[in-house]
C-alpha cells in the first residue's frame, strides 16, 4: 500500500521518469555515475577521478562486495547478489569525499 500526502497543492509533484534531453552535465572530481539502474548482472561505475575504492552494502548495512579501481570506469559483476536494494560507497583518493549511490539488483 502506498500513501502519498502533499503539503502544498500548488506545486506539482512528478512521479516517474524525467526527460533530461538538452541538459548539460558537469563532472567534477566528486561526481560519479552508476548504470544500469536497475541492474541485472553487471553494474557500470564511473567516477570522475581515477584510483577509487568501492564497497557494496545491503540494506542492513552488511558489506557484500568491495574492491579498488585504477580506471575511471569499472564493470562490477553483481550476478551473485540477491535481488533487492543496495548502496555502493565510492571512495576517491583525490577528492577525499565518499560518494554514496543506491541501486536495485533485479
Amino acid at each position: 500500500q502506498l500513501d502519498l500526502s502533499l503539503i502544498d497543492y500548488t506545486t506539482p509533484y512528478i512521479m516517474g521518469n524525467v526527460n533530461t534531453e538538452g541538459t548539460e552535465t558537469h563532472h567534477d572530481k566528486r561526481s560519479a555515475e552508476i548504470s544500469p539502474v536497475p541492474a541485472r548482472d553487471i553494474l557500470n561505475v564511473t567516477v570522475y577521478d581515477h584510483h577509487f575504492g568501492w564497497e557494496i552494502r545491503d540494506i542492513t548495512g552488511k558489506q557484500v562486495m568491495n574492491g579498488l579501481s585504477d580506471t575511471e570506469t569499472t564493470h562490477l559483476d553483481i550476478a551473485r547478489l540477491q535481488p533487492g536494494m543496495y548502496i555502493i560507497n565510492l571512495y576517491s583518493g583525490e577528492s577525499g569525499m565518499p560518494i554514496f549511490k543506491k541501486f536495485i539488483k533485479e
Side-chain angles (χ1 to χ4, degrees), residues 23-74:
T23 59
E24 284 187 37
T25 304
H26 172 71
H27 302 295
D28 63 19
K29 290 186 176 188
R30 294 172 309 209
S31 64
E33 295 178 8
I34 59 173
S35 67
V37 176
R40 192 171 293 242
D41 296 326
I42 300 294
L43 183 68
N44 303 307
V45 179
T46 301
V47 175
Y48 298 100
D49 185 5
H50 297 295
H51 311 293
F52 66 94
W54 57 270
E55 66 181 18
I56 296 176
R57 295 184 176 270
D58 64 16
I59 58 172
T60 67
K62 178 183 173 193
Q63 184 182 36
V64 293
M65 293 177 69
N66 66 3
L68 297 171
S69 176
D70 288 333
T71 60
E72 191 173 88
T73 300
T74 296

